[in-house]
Amino acid sequence: MRKLFFIFLVSALTVAAATNIPKVWNQVELGDYRLPLAGLGKPPQLISEKDYYKFPEVNVKTYPVYTPDKEPAGYLEWLRKQDPQPLVDVDKLKTDADWIAAGREVFYGRELPRFTGSEDNLQLIRNPQVLAAYRLQTTPAGELIGLRYVVREKGKVELGTDTCAMCHTQVRNGQVIDGPANTYTPFGPIMGDLTRRYAQMSRAMLEQLRLRQIIEDYKVPFLKDDPNMEVAKGSVEEIAHLYEIQPPGVQPRSNTSLLYPVKIANLIGIQDMHYFDRTGTSRHRSIADLMRYSALIADVTDATTLYGTTPDAAINLANMGLPKGIQRTPDALLYALARYIYSLKPPVNPNPVDDRTRHGQQVFQQTGCVNCHTPPLYTNNKLTLAQGFTPTPELMKSVDLVQASVGTDPGLALKTRKGTGLYRVPSLRMVWLESALLHDGSIGSLEEMFNPARLKPDFRSSNWHKTMPSHAVTGHTFGLKLSEDDRAALIDFLRTL
């Protein structure tokens, strides 16, 4: 009897813990959530708690998109007969396992509303030749990861895209691994191809689906002579080319730039990191911070953020593909998503530990790599200075800072809306899953990272597009003077992490 009571008590406590949902937009916690921006001298102004909760909620079930050869017979006709349903029925979530499973539904099924509803894209994605060129990742069942069909009203099927899984899922040897950066799908070249297609359709289509969004995605209102705005003035070919040269694993996402794109993050183990983004834009103090970060990204709530006080400090929602305004994901769904992300585990590492890797570990320790990439997380969880940035005394007191620069390209940290003037010291865990290194993905392998030849003007990385001109990749010169044997051993060790 006592045993039964104990089991019931543990079960009840588990349910209570699972349903203790933090409030996403908590005005007190938002106070020091964002770090100051280098060119602004203060954090951007976030929407108020009161206004945030005025946004209507959206919780709409989405359905897999299949490759043509594996789509069930009559699938689209079946979808047209479906009534709109919730993506997650929160009332049915009773246990920790329920919440984590629901989070996976959100991870795979919550589409970005700004990219939903284009009939032209719906037709494109059902074209086998387009699919082959775009190299979208697929599950063994033929589901296209990152794309979903959306049923908002009976009889109408829309294409939704850019779910969390689009960028943060990796398919290796048929195994679907949730969390790592998608280093296979060529996002940049896809965007370049779409730019050319929109131009062929009409000038109005090009304006609506590319040029206006380039301005709203990348403008930096507080930056004098903003170089990002010159991009939108270029020809179709010039814009398409800037997309085309983005290496795999890199994304010119909103708030970054076509000129200064960013490497896609690995979400596995993110609960151990103290800051979000390569530039440490936001603090990560609890699961609530991950929830609000997810809200800012996927709900385009960041479009309501004010970047300064000039007339263009706000983002134009219509130009962002949101003429009807923003809908927010309910707190419960953001909590489920965060629970799922926190639950992700690393895949089995195929790289063996042996005498050579143990020698590499000694090299790692003796050369001082451990000072910044400290075990067991292989990061010290601090921020380091971008080249050319001088922090204020107030900033130095408020963040964990390494008061030095490793000399990598400072563009992302100084010339985008993510520009804090800082870079986060990355974790080296699971570096074997990466094919894009440094914050901008400008290095394609560990061998290239430790090759002194990358400092020369005739260097070419293995992950560069064929039209990318040769150039030096400077900065982070640690390890470049190692002997050939020590260098190889160090690389082998890093691949075991």
Side-chain angles (χ1 to χ4, degrees):
M1 188 67 174
R2 291 179 62 188
K3 183 177 181 181
L4 287 175
F5 174 76
F6 177 74
I7 292 174
F8 172 79
L9 178 62
V10 170
S11 177
L13 290 173
T14 299
V15 173
T19 54
N20 185 20
I21 301 170
K23 194 172 187 178
V24 171
W25 226 248
N26 180 312
Q27 200 69 49
V28 174
E29 293 183 5
L30 286 171
D32 60 349
Y33 171 61
R34 293 290 296 263
L35 268 61
L37 296 178
L40 192 58
K42 60 183 179 180
Q45 182 181 334
L46 299 176
I47 190 171
S48 71
E49 180 179 327
K50 180 180 178 181
D51 287 339
Y52 176 80
Y53 284 106
K54 287 180 181 177
F55 290 135
E57 292 186 345
V58 59
N59 179 11
V60 179
K61 183 175 178 63
T62 64
Y63 300 84
V65 176
Y66 292 91
T67 55
D69 60 319
K70 292 191 177 181
E71 181 177 282
Y75 184 53
L76 280 186
E77 289 74 17
W78 176 81
L79 286 175
R80 292 189 182 99
K81 296 176 182 177
Q82 302 307 303
D83 290 311
Q85 301 176 44
L87 177 63
V88 172
D89 188 342
V90 177
D91 292 337
K92 294 182 179 180
L93 306 181
K94 305 300 182 184
T95 67
D96 279 352
D98 290 341
W99 282 93
I100 291 171
R104 188 178 187 278
E105 286 297 310
V106 179
F107 183 83
Y108 272 90
R110 182 184 65 159
E111 42 78 42
L112 288 187
R114 64 177 292 203
F115 297 129
T116 294
S118 169
E119 184 64 29
D120 298 290
N121 286 351
L122 179 59
Q123 297 305 316
L124 278 176
I125 215 62
R126 297 183 66 77
N127 183 329
Q129 292 180 326
V130 172
L131 286 178
Y134 284 5
R135 289 165 49 195
L136 299 176
Q137 295 187 120
T138 61
T139 69
E143 296 180 17
L144 288 159
I145 297 173
L147 301 181
R148 303 289 283 192
Y149 289 127
V150 187
V151 179
R152 302 188 196 282
E153 58 182 89
K154 192 170 184 177
K156 183 179 180 181
V157 178
E158 299 176 287
L159 178 69
T161 185
D162 279 25
T163 70
C164 302
M166 172 71 86
C167 290
H168 302 289
T169 296
Q170 196 172 115
V171 180
R172 281 185 167 245
N173 302 318
Q175 179 190 6
V176 179
I177 309 169
D178 291 348
N182 177 354
T183 58
Y184 179 75
T185 302
F187 293 113
I190 288 174
M191 297 290 282
D193 179 72
L194 287 173
T195 299
R196 295 186 179 100
R197 288 178 184 271
Y198 296 149
Q200 291 169 1
M201 292 174 188
S202 69
R203 179 67 189 186
M205 187 71 74
L206 177 67
E207 287 277 351
Q208 177 186 349
L209 296 180
R210 182 62 71 238
L211 300 185
R212 293 178 189 172
Q213 292 189 11
I214 285 177
I215 292 172
E216 302 306 328
D217 274 337
Y218 305 141
K219 71 178 182 182
V220 187
F222 53 83
L223 188 63
K224 184 180 179 181
D225 300 324
D226 182 4
N228 302 293
M229 289 303 87
E230 293 302 311
V231 171
K233 300 175 184 177
S235 68
V236 170
E237 275 305 311
E238 287 170 336
I239 294 170
H241 178 255
L242 284 174
Y243 278 116
E244 200 168 50
I245 61 176
Q246 309 299 329
V250 173
Q251 176 71 290
R253 55 182 282 199
S254 181
N255 289 347
T256 65
S257 168
L258 263 174
L259 300 175
Y260 312 110
V262 67
K263 188 173 92 167
I264 300 170
N266 181 356
L267 301 183
I268 301 174
I270 198 171
Q271 64 269 28
D272 298 321
M273 301 297 104
H274 293 178
Y275 299 94
F276 293 121
D277 286 330
R278 302 289 170 189
T279 52
T281 58
S282 313
R283 301 180 195 275
H284 185 193
R285 304 156 297 188
S286 69
I287 195 170
D289 282 334
L290 177 56
M291 293 164 63
R292 57 183 59 102
Y293 184 82
S294 300
L296 283 165
I297 294 174
D299 295 336
V300 205
T301 313
D302 206 30
T304 62
T305 300
L306 291 179
Y307 291 93
T309 57
T310 57
D312 61 347
I315 307 301
N316 185 308
L317 292 181
N319 287 347
M320 292 279 279
L322 292 165
K324 297 180 181 179
I326 290 172
Q327 293 179 309
R328 67 177 178 86
T329 304
D331 286 7
L333 269 65
L334 292 171
Y335 177 67
L337 173 63
R339 289 290 304 277
Y340 179 64
I341 292 174
Y342 273 13
S343 77
L344 297 175
K345 303 297 181 187
V348 175
N349 191 325
N351 299 288
V353 175
D354 53 25
D355 288 342
R356 184 174 181 82
T357 62
R358 282 186 280 270
H359 172 57
Q361 184 175 20
Q362 292 177 344
V363 175
F364 185 80
Q365 294 169 341
Q366 292 166 359
T367 54
C369 300
V370 292
N371 294 331
C372 289
H373 301 286
T374 312
L377 300 180
Y378 288 92
T379 174
N380 58 12
N381 255 321
K382 294 184 179 182
L383 303 170
T384 184
L385 301 176
Q387 193 172 28
F389 176 68
T390 302
T392 64
E394 293 76 19
L395 180 64
M396 293 172 64
K397 293 176 183 177
S398 66
V399 298
D400 297 319
L401 188 63
V402 178
Q403 295 185 44
S405 171
V406 298
T408 53
D409 186 282
L412 180 69
L414 296 178
K415 297 181 180 180
T416 72
R417 296 201 299 258
K418 288 190 180 295
T420 59
L422 308 169
Y423 285 119
R424 186 184 67 187
V425 176
S427 170
L428 300 181
R429 293 182 302 180
M430 292 168 283
V431 72
W432 64 275
L433 288 170
E434 305 282 359
S435 63
L437 303 175
L438 299 181
H439 65 269
D440 55 0
S442 55
I443 295 290
S445 70
L446 287 170
E447 283 77 9
E448 292 174 357
M449 185 70 191
F450 293 105
N451 185 353
R454 70 173 171 84
L455 303 180
K456 299 179 180 180
D458 61 349
F459 174 73
R460 293 196 58 80
S461 174
S462 58
N463 68 345
W464 292 357
H465 190 269
K466 61 184 179 182
T467 61
M468 173 75 82
S470 300
H471 63 273
V473 178
T474 57
H476 200 285
T477 57
F478 309 103
L480 293 185
K481 295 182 179 180
L482 290 172
S483 69
E484 185 175 339
D485 184 64
D486 284 353
R487 184 186 307 141
L490 174 62
I491 290 170
D492 286 348
F493 165 68
L494 292 175
R495 289 201 170 107
T496 67
L497 300 180

